[in-house]
């Protein structure tokens, strides 16, 4: 480890976390002087009662709301263009994303497109497109309704090409939310199969971030605590959800996404093409790969696996015991994820 090298660590997002945090949204908008939000969500969430209550609450408080929900399960470029057209056509002053990773990614991509009108994929991070993200972006607020991607605290959006389905990553620190309202009550009705799959995404983020080679001891600490929270709460959140398990999963999800600024690994590298080619849910794609990807990672990282085993509260601290834990853990929730195959 070279301690003469200068590094940068970023943890900039304000997170209002806790049961009922959503009630702070209207007072916050008023305090900041915003009256006309564009709200981005997905078509299923738009029909759920908690979403309707949020919108009604905003209307009761005198806000003019426009809702954009015309998006795909694995969002595509034309979703982003349509949402931006609604922004252009209505007189909006801020952007609110409410939903899981899909809705929040579309919201973030619209945020980028509002003041960056080249082809969306010119900003693809893989080809260095982040350097073109130079203009200001509107005020952005995120409200998660799943506990998995942690996209609410992220700075990237995953959007697929309409025709090739190839996933592109739009990335810029400018795309961070100014504030997150993380209310576990909004996740209480999340169906078991989505809870299971999104929870496995959160576990994968924490484990892969911890193993990523970059030097980031702060992210390492967050990732270890994140995986501990998943190990003690995901089963309950799936099988017998209560506010404690839902709260811990929401925290673990945000911690995973904060930690993976350090990097991800082979499990996500395999999950992305699975989702692109077969439209598999992102969390499910991670879940089917994680035991095998982690086994592939053990050699040379025995010490790190030992620390993960401790965080997961395993008696044996060998790499193999972590793999066995993953197979057992998936065994508890697998039956629930089967429903996702039909969902995808
Ligand atoms: N930006 C990032 O850092 C990042 C990281 C990982 C994944 N992703 C992306 O996130 C997406 C997956 O996100 P996800 O796992 O959150 O799933 P999702 O957003 O696809 O949501 C899954 C389903 O759950 C429903 N749902 C959401 N909240 C609900 C609630 N509270 N109650 C009932 N139903 C609810 C949705 O309508 C949807 O049908 C993928 O597109 C993936 O590419 C982004
Ligand atoms: Fe992920």
């Amino acid at each position: 480890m070279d301690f003469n090298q200068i590094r940068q660590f970023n943890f900039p997002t304000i997170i209002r976390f806790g049961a009922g945090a959503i009630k702070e949204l209207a007072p916050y908008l008023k305090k900041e002087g915003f009256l006309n939000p564009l709200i981005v969500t997905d078509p299923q969430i738009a029909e759920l009662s908690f979403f309707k209550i949020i919108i009604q609450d905003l209307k009761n408080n005198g806000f003019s709301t426009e809702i954009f929900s015309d998006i795909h399960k694995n969002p595509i470029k034309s979703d982003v263009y349509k949402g931006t057209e609604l922004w252009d056509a209505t007189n909006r002053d801020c952007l609110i994303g409410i939903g899981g990773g899909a809705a929040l990614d579309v919201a973030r991509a619209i945020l980028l497109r509002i003041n960056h009108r080249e082809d969306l994929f010119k900003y693809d991070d893989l080809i260095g497109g982040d350097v073109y993200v130079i203009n200001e972006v509107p005020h952005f607020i995120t409200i998660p309704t799943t506990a998995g991607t942690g996209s609410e605290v992220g700075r990237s959006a995953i959007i697929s090409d309409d025709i090739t389905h190839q996933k592109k990553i739009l990335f810029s620190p400018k795309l961070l939310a100014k504030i997150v309202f993380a209310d576990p009550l909004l996740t209480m009705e999340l169906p078991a199969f989505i809870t299971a799959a999104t929870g496995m995404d959160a576990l994968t983020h924490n484990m892969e971030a911890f193993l990523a080679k970059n030097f980031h001891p702060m992210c390492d600490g967050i990732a270890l605590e994140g995986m501990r929270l998943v190990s003690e709460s995901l089963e309950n959140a799936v099988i017998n959800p209560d506010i404690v398990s839902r709260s811990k999963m929401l925290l673990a999800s945000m911690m995973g996404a904060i930690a993976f600024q350090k990097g991800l690994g082979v499990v996500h590298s395999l999950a992305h093409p699975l989702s692109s080619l077969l439209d598999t849910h992102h969390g499910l794609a991670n879940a089917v790969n994680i035991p095998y990807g982690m086994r592939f990672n053990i050699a040379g990282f025995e010490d790190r696996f030992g620390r993960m085993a401790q965080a997961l509260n395993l008696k044996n601290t060998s790499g193999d015991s972590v793999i066995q834990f993953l197979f057992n853990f998936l065994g508890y929730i697998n039956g629930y994820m089967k429903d996702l195959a039909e969902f995808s």
Side-chain angles (χ1 to χ4, degrees):
M1 205 172 302
D2 177 6
F3 284 107
N4 291 316
Q5 196 180 333
I6 296 169
R7 326 258 181 171
Q8 178 166 317
F9 309 129
N10 291 310
F11 298 95
T13 314
I14 299 171
I15 301 170
R16 297 291 299 165
F17 168 80
I22 191 64
K23 295 203 181 90
E24 296 185 356
L25 175 63
Y28 172 82
L29 290 172
K30 262 194 190 144
K31 179 171 73 73
E32 296 292 322
F34 297 113
L35 291 169
N36 309 313
L38 175 65
I39 296 160
V40 178
T41 191
D42 72 35
Q44 287 79 34
I45 295 174
E47 295 303 321
L48 296 178
S49 57
F50 76 77
F51 181 81
K52 291 180 177 164
I53 291 169
I54 295 172
I55 302 302
Q56 196 54 52
D57 185 50
L58 291 174
K59 284 185 177 155
N60 293 346
N61 278 283
F63 294 94
S64 144
T65 56
E66 285 285 347
I67 299 165
F68 177 70
S69 63
D70 188 11
I71 72 168
H72 289 77
K73 282 182 186 134
N74 280 305
I76 54 177
K77 182 160 87 171
S78 55
D79 298 339
V80 178
Y81 283 28
K82 276 189 208 159
T84 312
E85 279 164 23
L86 183 61
W87 172 279
D88 291 343
T90 56
N91 191 21
R92 305 291 96 199
D93 56 12
C94 68
L95 189 62
I96 304 177
I98 303 181
L104 296 185
D105 277 7
V106 174
R108 183 169 289 111
I110 293 171
L111 180 79
L112 167 67
R113 181 151 181 78
I114 285 168
N115 288 332
H116 298 83
R117 293 301 173 106
E118 303 277 351
D119 185 280
L120 188 66
F121 293 154
K122 181 180 174 187
Y123 307 100
D124 177 5
D125 190 44
L126 195 66
I127 54 169
D130 58 316
V131 298
Y132 302 114
V133 187
I134 46 176
N135 301 325
E136 284 313 305
V137 301
H139 198 90
F140 184 41
I141 297 162
T142 52
I143 300 168
T145 66
T146 62
T149 70
S151 179
E152 59 274 12
V153 293
R155 56 201 83 189
S156 58
I158 304 175
I159 304 292
S160 300
D161 185 90
D162 287 43
I163 295 158
T164 65
H165 297 294
Q166 197 183 12
K167 288 198 174 212
K168 310 276 186 182
I169 299 184
L170 309 169
F171 169 90
S172 169
K174 283 180 184 277
L175 305 181
L176 279 162
K178 292 282 183 296
I179 188 164
V180 180
F181 293 98
D183 187 340
L185 289 177
L186 303 184
T187 69
M188 286 306 288
E189 305 298 324
L190 201 61
F193 65 101
I194 299 175
T195 307
T198 50
M200 288 308 294
D201 187 27
L203 181 63
T204 311
H205 291 156
N206 282 297
M207 294 183 83
E208 292 205 296
F210 184 67
L211 293 176
K213 284 182 179 166
N214 287 332
F215 175 77
H216 205 317
M218 296 185 196
C219 284
D220 287 342
I222 291 170
L224 285 171
E225 178 63 4
M227 59 187 98
R228 189 186 71 76
L229 287 168
V230 176
S231 72
E232 69 178 29
S233 59
L234 181 56
E235 208 183 320
N236 270 350
V238 171
I239 296 165
N240 192 16
D242 58 6
I243 189 67
V244 174
S245 56
R246 291 295 192 190
S247 298
K248 286 182 178 176
M249 282 309 301
L250 192 54
L251 281 170
S253 157
M254 290 190 287
M255 291 163 85
I258 287 168
F260 79 57
Q261 64 178 282
K262 187 186 165 212
L264 284 170
V266 65
V267 181
H268 269 79
S269 300
L270 292 169
H272 284 311
L274 253 185
S275 300
S276 303
L277 297 173
L278 304 177
D279 222 19
T280 312
H281 180 270
H282 176 72
L284 179 63
N286 279 309
V288 297
N289 282 306
I290 190 173
Y292 307 99
M294 285 296 148
R295 185 182 280 153
F296 174 83
N297 283 331
I298 295 174
F301 285 83
E302 288 81 359
D303 172 56
R304 291 243 147 193
F305 271 83
R307 291 169 66 193
M308 290 202 292
Q310 282 175 339
L312 297 167
N313 205 16
L314 306 182
K315 286 199 187 83
N316 186 319
T317 55
S318 69
D320 283 342
S321 68
V322 174
I323 307 308
Q324 196 50 52
F325 160 82
L326 289 170
F327 277 117
N328 293 345
F329 200 59
L330 281 168
Y332 301 134
I333 57 176
N334 246 349
Y336 295 90
M337 283 194 291
K338 276 185 193 139
D339 296 342
L340 263 179
E342 283 168 30
F343 165 85
S344 299

